[in-house]
């Protein structure tokens, strides 16, 4: 059949396979409510005999009314005892009638540890289905992507086992290690420069080095460059800054750096390596320049766009990405989590500020809690169905998944921007309670407070206390790092804490932060050493005066525990008397599951 004959309302597909994908999107979004109803019925009927649904006396009902009247909305903490039982080896059908195949470790934490999300084998198919829709949409806006390759920096992270023997690992590690990814069919529109062996190497240096080397060899074929998050792509650029001499040496000689010891990588790189002095000269010429502006387009001249998430906390990296890429379009393709993959961006070439994700109604059952930051009590009777959300309003996402999470609060706040057919589209506003984030780490106010409390203990013997503090995610450095501003009160000026003591405070704070933060510091090198900037006495009073001059009420004024607004960070920085960095890595080992 001629591809034109399959023309989708989204636009003319690039090939027949794309036509089918676009048609699927149309079908799902046109009948969003009916799809949702049947997704819920399927989840409830297959899980009717689970301990969880029986506990709420659903009695096999699969309709929305019974579900809504009997099943409560929950948080991770509510489910934790059940999840722990599964982790400990209870194989009875607790949440899902299908066996829990593994746990996906979320970057969201609970009591300092990654949350464990149960999943079932068939979820891999659902994830792959969502992935399969991305290129057909992209091809509508960017023709010719089958004429070259994508340089994507993709990584696996370490995995552990729960006491009951189930694997616990991040969702992308699970996906890259699955046959769905490893033995994927050749698709001319989706060819990567990175070999699977390089992606699957758990050592982040070796993985990055070999992915970069392949990307350099194929620099003219590269049409798009990406990583999952903007921070990851910037880390790759930083890696090039630090390692271009060794990479150029390998290209010149056609040999592989001895630091690359992974035998699978060495095996596959033997097929890629060749001596190319001209390319080596070019890399050296470009990388030795002082100015790295537009380095991406200089080295990869045919790059049409960057594919990275720049929504949510990642928007802080947009100016740096623009600097290195000369303002190439930044494409955010999808919105997903360990709990469930949610949806995709149907207008991927739009500006980052306009990105909206269309939730695919086949992925799970979705409900929306109207977001009211002032309300202390939330009740499930306020939940709104997918098709009934209102444009302009903000909601918290609540999901019911095939793996057995029921009316689970994800913690993301979304705003409705419009509809595609009857499926709503959302801009990602923020994750609840996140104060600081550099990469996938998420630090909330309570965690920061307790880190400051623990670090201040170090100051006791100096008769010094932290009178006020605030924080800032500094992304001007790569990797970015946390900056904590401290105003100190020393009762004994002859004993003011020394540089060494304040460095210990930095480390003490890092030791107190959650495991995702510490993993970022130790395993992924995605977060730089924490910095304490000691400010002059009276600085926080000035900060209050500034806020009041801008209309804050003097009675209600609270010190912001995180500052982003430039005049405020400038004010703080102008009062810094000393700055101190953590000199050691905090403790981190792949989590042991109780
Ligand atoms: P994790 O469970 O570690 O996979 O993290 C999932 C979380 O990452 C989501 O709940 C969001 O808070 C965030 N996230 C995922 N995709 C996006 C996106 N496209 N834009 C902004 N935030 C995202």
């Amino acid at each position: 059949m001629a591809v034109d004959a399959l023309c989708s309302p989204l636009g003319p597909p690039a090939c027949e396979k794309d036509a089918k994908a676009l048609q699927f999107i149309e079908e799902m979004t046109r009948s969003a409510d009916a799809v949702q109803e049947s997704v819920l019925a399927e989840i409830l009927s297959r899980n009717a005999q689970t301990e969880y649904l029986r506990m709420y006396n659903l009695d096999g009902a699969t309709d929305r009314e019974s579900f809504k009247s009997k099943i409560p909305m929950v948080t991770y903490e509510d489910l934790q005892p059940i999840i722990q039982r599964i982790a400990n080896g209870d194989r009875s059908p607790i949440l899902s009638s299908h066996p829990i195949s593994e746990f996906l470790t979320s970057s969201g934490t609970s009591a300092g540890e990654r949350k464990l999300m149960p999943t079932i084998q068939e979820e891999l198919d659902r994830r792959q289905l969502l992935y399969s829709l991305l290129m057909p949409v992209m091809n509508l806006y960017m023709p010719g992507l089958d004429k070259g390759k994508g340089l994507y920096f993709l990584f696996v992270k370490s995995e552990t086992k729960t006491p009951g023997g189930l694997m616990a690992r991040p969702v992308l590690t699970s996906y890259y290690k699955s046959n769905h990814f490893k033995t994927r069919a050749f698709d001319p529109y989706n060819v990567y420069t990175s070999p699977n062996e390089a992606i699957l190497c758990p050592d982040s240096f070796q993985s990055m080095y070999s992915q970069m080397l392949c990307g350099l060899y194929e620099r003219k074929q590269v049409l798009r460059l990406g990583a999952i998050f903007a921070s990851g792509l910037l880390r790759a650029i930083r890696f090039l800054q630090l390692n271009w001499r060794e990479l150029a040496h390998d290209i010149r000689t056609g040999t592989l750096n001895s630091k690359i010891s992974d035998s699978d990588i060495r095996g596959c790189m033997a097929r890629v390596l060749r001596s190319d002095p001209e390319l080596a000269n070019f890399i050296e010429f470009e990388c030795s320049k002082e100015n790295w502006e537009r380095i991406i387009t200089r080295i990869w001249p045919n790059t049409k766009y960057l594919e990275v998430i720049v929504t949510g906390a990642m928007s802080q990296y947009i100016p740096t990405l623009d600097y290195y890429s000369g303002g190439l379009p930044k494409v955010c393709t999808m919105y997903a989590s360990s709990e469930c993959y949610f949806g995709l961006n149907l207008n991927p070439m739009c500006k980052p500020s306009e990105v909206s994700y269309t939730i695919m109604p086949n992925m799970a059952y979705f409900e929306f809690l109207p977001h009211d930051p002032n309300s202390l009590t939330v009740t499930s009777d306020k939940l709104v169905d997918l098709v009934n959300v209102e444009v302009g309003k903000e909601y918290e996402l609540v999901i019911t998944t095939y793996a057995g999470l029921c009316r689970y609060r994800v913690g993301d706040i979304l705003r409705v921007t419009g509809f595609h057919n009857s499926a709503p589209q959302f801009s990602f506003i923020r994750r609840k309670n996140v104060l600081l984030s550099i990469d996938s780490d998420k630090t909330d106010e309570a965690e920061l407070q307790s880190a400051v409390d623990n670090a201040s203990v170090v100051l006791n013997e100096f008769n010094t206390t932290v009178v006020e503090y605030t924080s800032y995610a500094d992304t001007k450095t790569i990797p970015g790092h946390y900056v904590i501003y401290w105003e100190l009160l020393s009762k004994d000026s002859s004993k003011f804490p020394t540089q060494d003591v304040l460095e210990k405070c930095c480390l003490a704070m890092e030791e107190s932060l959650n495991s995702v933060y510490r993993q970022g510091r130790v395993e992924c090198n995605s977060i730089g050493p924490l910095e304490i900037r000691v400010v002059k006495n009276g600085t926080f009073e000035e900060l209050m005066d500034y806020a009041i001059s801008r209309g804050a009420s003097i009675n209600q004024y609270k010190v912001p525990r995180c500052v982003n607004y430039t005049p405020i960070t400038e004010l703080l920085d102008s009062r810094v008397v000393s700055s101190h960095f953590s000199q050691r890595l905090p403790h981190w080992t792949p989590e042991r599951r109780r």
Side-chain angles (χ1 to χ4, degrees), residues 102 121 124-125 128 169 173-185 196 200:
E102 61 182 323
Q121 188 62 29
L124 270 169
D125 300 333
Q128 192 176 41
R169 55 189 176 181
T173 300
S174 159
Y175 185 71
Y176 299 146
K177 289 194 160 185
S178 73
N179 284 335
H180 289 66
F181 179 78
K182 285 196 290 193
T183 58
R184 62 199 181 275
N196 286 357
L200 294 173

Side-chain angles (χ1 to χ4, degrees), residues 224-236:
R224 49 206 172 101
L225 227 103
I228 301 301
F229 291 121
S231 52
L233 184 56
L234 289 172
R235 218 158 54 246

Side-chain angles (χ1 to χ4, degrees), residues 106-107 309 311-312 334-339 357 410 412 428 431:
S106 164
S107 59
I309 291 178
T311 42
M334 66 187 280
Y335 168 44
S337 77
S338 315
E339 294 90 322
Y357 300 102
V410 174
D412 288 347
F428 182 92
R431 194 171 169 98

Side-chain angles (χ1 to χ4, degrees), residues 305-537:
Y305 64 91
L306 306 179
E307 187 175 326
V308 277
I309 291 178
V310 286
T311 42
M314 289 293 141
S315 62
Q316 61 190 336
Y317 294 103
I318 293 173
T320 322
L321 283 176
D322 285 344
Y323 176 81
Y324 287 124
S325 72
L328 279 177
K330 292 158 289 296
V331 167
C332 301
T333 56
M334 66 187 280
Y335 168 44
S337 77
S338 315
E339 294 90 322
C340 172
Y341 280 20
F342 306 122
L344 75 171
N345 179 359
L346 294 180
N347 185 16
M349 295 305 287
C350 69
K351 288 195 251 160
S353 58
E354 286 163 11
V355 172
S356 287
Y357 300 102
T358 305
I359 289 198
M360 287 299 288
N362 58 308
M363 299 302 288
Y365 186 68
F366 298 102
E367 293 174 279
F368 297 84
L369 184 66
H371 179 56
D372 177 0
N374 301 318
S375 158
L376 293 175
T377 51
V378 281
T379 48
S380 55
D381 58 338
K382 300 232 165 47
L383 285 169
V384 177
D385 277 329
L386 181 69
V387 298
N388 294 332
V389 294
E390 291 176 49
V391 174
K393 288 205 173 151
E394 289 186 5
Y395 298 89
E396 183 184 337
L397 181 59
V398 175
I399 55 172
T400 297
T401 67
Y402 285 88
L405 297 177
C406 281
R407 311 192 98 186
Y408 175 89
R409 296 173 71 171
V410 174
D412 288 347
I413 308 295
L414 311 175
R415 182 184 300 134
V416 186
T417 55
F419 281 80
H420 179 76
N421 297 321
S422 56
Q425 303 182 297
F426 297 90
S427 64
F428 182 92
I429 301 300
R430 61 191 174 83
R431 194 171 169 98
K432 265 191 334 184
N433 302 332
V434 173
L435 211 56
L436 289 165
S437 174
I438 294 287
D439 191 47
S440 49
D441 54 302
K442 299 168 176 65
T443 296
D444 69 23
E445 198 163 329
E447 288 170 323
L448 182 65
Q449 173 74 51
S450 91
V452 170
D453 289 347
N454 290 341
S456 345
V457 173
V458 180
L459 300 175
N460 285 350
E461 61 174 297
F462 298 89
N463 254 331
T464 300
T465 48
V466 179
V467 278
E468 271 309 350
Y469 71 91
T470 189
S471 67
Y472 168 64
D474 186 347
T475 51
K476 287 192 277 297
T477 56
I478 306 174
H481 69 288
Y482 288 10
V483 173
I484 319 296
Y485 294 94
W486 270 10
E487 186 170 319
L488 299 177
L489 179 68
S490 198
K491 298 206 181 89
D492 178 357
S493 56
S494 64
K495 245 179 129 191
F496 197 78
T498 56
Q499 162 91 351
D500 180 46
V501 171
L502 287 158
E503 284 170 1
K504 281 200 185 111
C505 291
C506 294
L507 185 62
M509 284 199 72
E510 294 200 297
E511 294 286 13
S512 310
L513 293 172
N514 66 47
S515 73
V516 180
Y517 174 90
R518 286 177 283 112
Q519 183 175 13
R521 283 280 285 127
V522 178
E523 187 189 46
C524 321
N525 195 20
S526 56
I527 307 173
L530 181 142
E531 179 183 1
I532 290 178
R533 293 186 190 159
V534 178
V535 293
K536 267 192 216 145
N537 283 2

Side-chain angles (χ1 to χ4, degrees), residues 4-300:
D4 280 354
L6 294 166
C7 190
S8 148
L10 288 165
C15 59
E16 234 173 271
K17 188 160 151 266
D18 284 12
K20 283 203 185 114
L22 298 176
Q23 198 184 343
F24 178 77
I25 295 173
E26 283 306 295
E27 281 166 16
M28 288 296 119
T29 54
R30 271 203 201 122
S31 44
D33 198 43
V35 174
Q36 281 283 278
E37 190 161 24
S38 72
V39 164
L40 182 66
E42 194 188 344
I43 292 174
L44 297 181
S45 70
R46 63 152 78 170
N47 289 337
Q49 297 310 317
T50 58
E51 184 181 317
Y52 194 77
L53 293 186
R54 288 167 67 119
M55 181 165 74
Y56 291 109
N57 300 316
L58 204 55
D59 297 333
T62 62
D63 61 293
R64 278 175 171 162
E65 287 63 40
S66 311
F67 173 72
K68 284 171 189 276
S69 63
K70 294 187 171 168
I71 306 293
M73 183 169 66
V74 291
T75 62
Y76 183 81
E77 283 65 31
D78 297 325
L79 293 182
Q80 200 166 27
I82 288 179
I83 287 180
Q84 200 58 54
R85 270 175 57 206
I86 302 173
N88 289 344
D90 191 333
R91 295 278 189 275
S92 63
I94 302 176
L95 287 174
S96 164
S97 61
H98 290 216
I100 300 299
S101 52
E102 61 182 323
F103 282 105
L104 302 175
T105 54
S106 164
S107 59
T109 54
S110 174
E113 295 292 308
R114 286 173 175 271
K115 291 176 183 166
L116 288 177
M117 296 301 167
T119 190
I120 54 177
Q121 188 62 29
E122 66 170 44
E123 278 295 296
L124 270 169
D125 300 333
R126 242 170 245 117
R127 281 176 219 130
Q128 192 176 41
L129 175 67
L130 194 70
Y131 283 128
S132 75
L133 305 178
L134 306 182
M135 283 316 284
V137 173
M138 199 61 222
N139 291 337
L140 294 172
Y141 296 87
M142 189 59 78
L145 292 175
D146 55 335
K147 306 290 183 293
K149 298 188 178 183
L151 167 50
Y152 284 84
F153 295 96
L154 306 176
F155 300 95
V156 295
K157 293 190 185 176
S158 54
E159 40 195 29
T160 51
K161 285 224 162 126
T162 66
L166 283 172
M167 189 73 90
R169 55 189 176 181
V171 61
L172 290 172
T173 300
S174 159
Y175 185 71
Y176 299 146
K177 289 194 160 185
S178 73
N179 284 335
H180 289 66
F181 179 78
K182 285 196 290 193
T183 58
R184 62 199 181 275
F186 176 79
D187 173 357
Y189 291 93
N190 220 356
V191 182
Y192 298 149
T193 54
S194 296
N196 286 357
E197 290 85 344
I199 295 171
L200 294 173
C201 173
D203 181 292
S204 62
F205 177 88
Q206 297 188 48
S207 175
M208 179 79 94
Y209 191 95
S210 41
Q211 294 193 54
M212 186 62 83
L213 195 54
C214 294
L216 292 174
Y217 269 118
E218 301 208 66
R219 71 180 199 95
K220 299 235 173 97
Q221 281 91 295
V222 170
L223 301 183
R224 49 206 172 101
L225 227 103
I228 301 301
F229 291 121
S231 52
L233 184 56
L234 289 172
R235 218 158 54 246
I237 300 302
R238 179 73 189 142
F239 186 90
L240 184 61
Q241 267 172 347
L242 296 174
N243 296 285
W244 59 265
R245 285 183 189 81
E246 287 171 283
L247 289 156
H249 172 271
D250 290 2
I251 293 173
R252 185 176 304 287
T253 57
T255 58
L256 188 58
N257 192 321
S258 59
K259 286 185 203 151
I260 310 304
S261 56
D262 183 286
S263 57
D264 289 344
I265 296 192
R266 290 202 79 88
C268 89
M269 290 306 285
R271 295 190 291 277
V272 175
L273 284 163
R274 59 177 193 278
S275 163
D276 188 341
E278 201 184 317
L279 177 60
N281 288 344
F282 172 81
I283 305 287
E284 285 174 354
F285 176 73
E286 286 299 342
C287 294
S288 59
K289 288 181 187 164
E290 186 89 349
N291 184 349
W292 271 51
E293 193 171 353
R294 292 191 312 97
I295 193 73
I296 292 180
T297 40
R298 284 195 261 145
I299 295 196
W300 294 281

